[in-house]
Every structure is written in structure tokens, then in C-alpha cells.
Amino acid sequence: MITGGSRGIGFETAKAFLIAGFKVAFCGRSQTNVKQAEEELKIFGDLFTMAADVREYGQLKKFVAETLKRFSRIDVLVNNAGVLWFGDFQRQDVRSINEEVDVNLKGMLFTTRAVLPEMLRQKKGVIINISSGAGKHGSSGIATYSATKFAVVGFTESLAQELNKTNIAVFALCPGNVATDMQEKYSGRKIGLPPENIAQEILKLANAKTRLSSGDALEVY
């Protein structure tokens, strides 16, 4: 299960998981974007998509229920949905502050809260939270974004401790610059790692092909 799966890292992650033989469910805010991505990806494997806003817990509960109806279980959750506002914090309006906190942080909390009971019932699962290099090292121009991504790492560490006696692993992935549409929107250009490279790192975590311990945050540059 992937949030924000209709483009960028989420899209490439869905594609990588499908090619690897996983059954994939993903959501996105825009019905149009979700359906377009579905058309491109369905040739690679068994895919379920749904328009759902991670800021709305009720929509996420429905997404989880429909995914379970289709696939019976959820083995991997990738909390990928994210937004970014770029500029000096003193100029950031309250609306965009709320949006970054609601999508980047609360969206991750809501999705995990909706999926975790199922993983506990299964006694197995992997949760991968997409943070950022800005979640390990602050940077000017993205103060609110950085704050939310630091929080993602803190949540990952805390939840891993809560689940340390279960067979559920929790990781955070902290990429540096990734050449996505979101980056181009705030910087005017696409620089950094291709999103498909990040997708492969996510796939490794899902397959436990890592020396990391649950709760760790992997930086990727």
C-alpha cells in the first residue's frame, strides 16, 4: 500500500513493486492523476487504486477496507504522500503551513493508524516512512517541510520501539534531492537522483534486504 502513488517517488515505487511481483494498492488526492497512473501501471501486475486524501482519516479507512477486500492483507505500507512550500519562513502563509503539517505528518500518522491493526492481526508487516535529507539536516527555505520530516524520523523511532516485540518493522528513508515534479515546482528544475532509484531502496527495505534495524533512518544521496 502506497500513499501519493500517482506520480514521482510513489509512482516509481508502485511500478517497482509490481515488477517485483507484489500486488499494489495506491491512493492519491487527484482522481484524474490516479486514473492516469493506473492506466500506465496496470500492465505490470495486479493493481488497485483509489482517490483518497491522507488528511481525511475516513477516506483512508475506506481505502484500507477496499484494499483488504481486494487483496485480503497488507504486508507493506509506504507512507510517501508529501507536499513542499519553498521560501523564507517569515513569508509562509498559514494555509500552506497547515497543508505541509497535515499531509507530511498527520497524513503519515493517519495512514499508519488505519493500517497497523491489520498488521498486528497478521503478526507481520513493514512500514516505510518517506522522510528526507531535510529530516536529518535543516536547510533554509524549507523550514516547515524540514520540521515535518524531522517528525517523521521521530515517529519512526518511537513506533519501532513500541513494536519491538512484534514482527513489524518500521523504517524511515531520507533521500537528498530527487528529480520529481515537486522539486521542479519549487526550484524551477529537476536535479538529483531519479525517483526510480529511491523506489529501489524502498523495495529493498520491504524485502528486508538491509542491515538496518527497525527504527533506523536511511539517508540516500
Side-chain angles (χ1 to χ4, degrees), residues 157-175:
E157 293 177 357
S158 297
L159 186 62
Q161 290 183 33
E162 287 186 22
L163 299 174
N164 68 349
K165 293 183 180 180
T166 72
N167 197 26
I168 301 171
V170 192
F171 303 107
L173 194 68
C174 302

Side-chain angles (χ1 to χ4, degrees), residues 121-193:
R121 186 191 66 79
Q122 295 169 181
K123 299 181 180 179
K124 184 179 181 182
V126 180
I127 299 170
I128 302 166
N129 301 319
I130 308 305
S131 179
S132 168
K136 301 281 278 186
H137 314 281
S139 181
S140 64
I142 52 173
T144 302
Y145 179 81
S146 184
T148 64
K149 293 304 186 178
F150 265 85
V152 169
V153 173
F155 174 71
T156 299
E157 293 177 357
S158 297
L159 186 62
Q161 290 183 33
E162 287 186 22
L163 299 174
N164 68 349
K165 293 183 180 180
T166 72
N167 197 26
I168 301 171
V170 192
F171 303 107
L173 194 68
C174 302
N177 285 325
V178 183
T180 62
D181 292 340
M182 186 174 79
Q183 188 202 73
E184 185 176 33
K185 182 178 178 181
Y186 79 80
S187 70
R189 55 181 180 157
K190 290 183 180 180
I191 56 174
L193 292 171

Side-chain angles (χ1 to χ4, degrees), residues 15 18-19 40-46:
K15 183 177 179 180
L18 287 167
I19 291 171
E40 294 180 48
L41 291 172
K42 65 183 182 181
I43 62 171
F44 295 104
D46 198 350

